[in-house]
Amino acid sequence: MTEIPVYRIPLECLYYNVANGRFAKEYLNIKKRLERELVPEDPKDEKEIERMLREQSIPKTNWLKNNIRDLGQEEPGIITHDGYVINGNRRMSVLKLLVNENSKFGYMDVGRLPENVSESDVYKIELGKQMAKEQKLDYGPINELLKIQHGLDSGLTVEQIANTIGFSKDEIEDKIERLDLIKEYLEFIEDPDNFEAAEKLNEHFVELQKNIFSKKKQKTQELTPLELLDVKEIAFSTIHSGIRHMTLRKIPKMVKNPKIKPVFFEAKKFIIADPKKTTQIFEACETRLQAEEHKDKPGVLLDAILSNLESLDLTHQKFKTDEYSTLIKKIIPYVDELKKLV
């Protein structure tokens, strides 16, 4: 690409780019709250964008502020021909803070793109500057996925996106697949497009995708399509309840085990009526799986049984319920068999 000429432009002549991938999920939430798009030229919306940029990571904002104050602008931003910042939005928000200290910060060094650059080319430039593997900038896992989706919506192919940011075609398809899974989860919890609700759950979806729902895994699954749907809903329910991501990798073993599988799918009945019960059943399946893995170590199992029995509060009111009475009746024959061994 031809070298872009760099200019020093007054801040008041520049506008934030609301399509910036670095704050994609945050912007979707603001749009949902305001029920409209933000207009960067509007002073009120400009303040909203600045707040979003600065509060996304306050420590990084403070570091950038101190760095620019001490060293100045070390690298120019990039703008469209009509002044929208493609690369350097957070930098500009910091300069607008610093200009209150010294008027020398009232300008931004920027490379200005030619007038005829297409939307897809603008996207590739932003991606190449901010998301390429060697850049290692802080998009965050969800915003990275949303930016890739933006590229597809802009008309780029998977191959073009992969070539721009240095990933393989398979890696990009994997990320698109994961974003679809996250979208399904947000629909499940009745909070569509609130990607901030999934920000700390990326590893959960990595585990689900890797172990169950990737296209490669589904080809080797022994589950029916309906069973796979039930697994997904049970997993989503337990994720929403706060289960650890590493626990999800145990699901394939749970549904392969003929003793545990029917118990696992029992959890589906309670997803809507009693989500806590769904999680309890899932955790019970985890305990059963652990016991199955130790079935050749009777001493370990007996010690675990004794420990659990010693922890029981036999005065608990739930022992009077039919559910608990049924469980006790199932346990008694095993106790009788154990008695024969002594």
Side-chain angles (χ1 to χ4, degrees):
M1 182 176 178
T2 306
E3 188 173 338
I4 303 171
V6 175
Y7 303 92
R8 176 161 290 184
I9 297 181
L11 295 177
E12 58 266 26
C13 297
L14 301 174
Y15 305 105
Y16 292 109
N17 170 28
V18 292
N20 185 282
R22 200 187 299 281
F23 54 74
K25 69 180 188 302
E26 293 85 355
Y27 181 56
L28 284 171
N29 266 11
I30 289 177
K31 278 173 55 179
K32 193 174 181 180
R33 173 166 57 84
L34 298 178
E35 298 182 342
R36 64 177 178 84
E37 298 278 353
L38 291 180
V39 180
E41 300 89 342
D42 184 309
K44 289 184 180 178
D45 285 0
E46 181 184 50
K47 294 295 181 187
E48 190 77 42
I49 295 167
E50 286 174 351
R51 180 193 62 76
M52 180 170 55
L53 283 165
R54 293 166 187 161
E55 293 182 3
Q56 190 181 33
S57 176
I58 293 175
K60 288 173 183 174
T61 297
N62 290 336
W63 176 87
L64 184 58
K65 182 179 177 183
N66 292 330
N67 186 259
I68 293 177
R69 181 193 286 121
D70 295 339
L71 302 175
Q73 299 180 60
E74 297 183 283
E75 181 183 355
I78 298 176
I79 64 170
T80 61
H81 192 76
D82 48 357
Y84 292 88
V85 178
I86 300 304
N87 183 49
N89 282 271
R90 183 188 288 170
R91 211 176 317 159
M92 184 163 79
S93 76
V94 167
L95 285 168
K96 289 195 175 190
L97 289 175
L98 289 171
V99 74
N100 296 319
E101 301 176 10
N102 191 317
S103 60
K104 72 177 183 178
F105 295 113
Y107 301 84
M108 186 170 174
D109 296 332
V110 292
R112 188 185 187 200
L113 297 176
E115 192 172 5
N116 59 349
V117 174
S118 67
E119 181 185 352
S120 60
D121 282 338
V122 168
Y123 171 87
K124 285 193 282 187
I125 290 167
E126 181 185 346
L127 231 61
K129 290 294 292 181
Q130 298 182 356
M131 275 181 63
K133 280 185 175 180
E134 66 271 13
Q135 297 293 327
K136 299 180 180 177
L137 292 179
D138 54 322
Y139 252 64
I142 304 298
N143 280 340
E144 178 188 67
L145 300 179
L146 290 171
K147 193 61 185 176
I148 290 170
Q149 180 65 59
H150 180 204
L152 294 174
D153 295 341
S154 298
L156 294 177
T157 65
V158 170
E159 290 85 352
Q160 287 173 316
I161 295 172
N163 291 336
T164 300
I165 58 180
F167 286 88
S168 69
K169 179 175 177 286
D170 286 346
E171 285 175 311
I172 296 299
E173 288 178 340
D174 183 70
K175 291 175 186 294
I176 295 167
E177 197 175 74
R178 192 179 319 139
L179 180 61
D180 288 340
L181 194 60
I182 291 169
K183 288 178 180 178
E184 287 186 67
Y185 169 75
L186 294 176
E187 291 285 348
F188 174 83
I189 65 172
E190 299 182 346
D191 201 2
D193 293 332
N194 180 16
F195 289 94
E196 289 191 307
E199 177 62 18
K200 295 181 180 179
L201 301 174
N202 182 62
E203 292 304 315
H204 291 72
F205 297 107
V206 169
E207 291 294 342
L208 277 184
Q209 183 183 14
K210 181 172 64 177
N211 292 290
I212 307 168
F213 294 113
S214 69
K215 288 178 182 177
K216 292 178 182 177
K217 279 290 179 182
Q218 289 192 50
K219 288 178 181 177
T220 61
Q221 287 286 357
E222 297 176 3
L223 299 173
T224 67
L226 187 58
E227 285 176 329
L228 272 173
L229 181 60
D230 286 348
V231 168
K232 186 179 290 183
E233 291 189 355
I234 292 167
F236 284 170
S237 182
T238 56
I239 288 172
H240 194 45
S241 73
I243 203 161
R244 294 179 301 111
H245 72 272
M246 292 181 68
T247 309
L248 296 169
R249 66 180 61 170
K250 300 177 183 179
I251 291 176
K253 290 183 178 180
M254 292 179 186
V255 296
K256 278 185 179 179
N257 187 294
K259 294 179 184 176
I260 300 173
K261 181 178 177 179
V263 180
F264 177 88
F265 283 112
E266 188 77 11
K268 174 68 166 63
K269 298 178 183 178
F270 303 96
I271 285 175
I272 296 173
D274 190 359
K276 287 184 179 178
K277 180 69 175 175
T278 298
T279 303
Q280 287 171 3
I281 293 173
F282 186 92
E283 290 171 344
C285 289
E286 186 182 8
T287 301
R288 287 178 179 231
L289 182 63
Q290 188 176 20
E292 284 290 313
E293 290 171 346
H294 288 114
K295 63 183 179 182
D296 294 329
K297 300 176 181 178
V300 172
L301 294 179
L302 285 170
D303 188 61
I305 292 167
L306 179 60
S307 177
N308 287 330
L309 288 171
E310 288 174 342
S311 298
L312 279 178
D313 176 7
L314 298 177
T315 64
H316 200 289
Q317 291 298 310
K318 286 194 173 181
F319 279 108
K320 298 178 181 179
T321 64
D322 290 341
E323 180 186 358
Y324 280 61
S325 178
T326 300
L327 280 173
I328 292 168
K329 287 176 182 177
K330 288 181 179 179
I331 291 170
I332 288 172
Y334 291 100
V335 175
D336 291 339
E337 289 298 315
L338 284 171
K339 284 180 180 178
K340 296 175 183 179
L341 299 177
V342 296

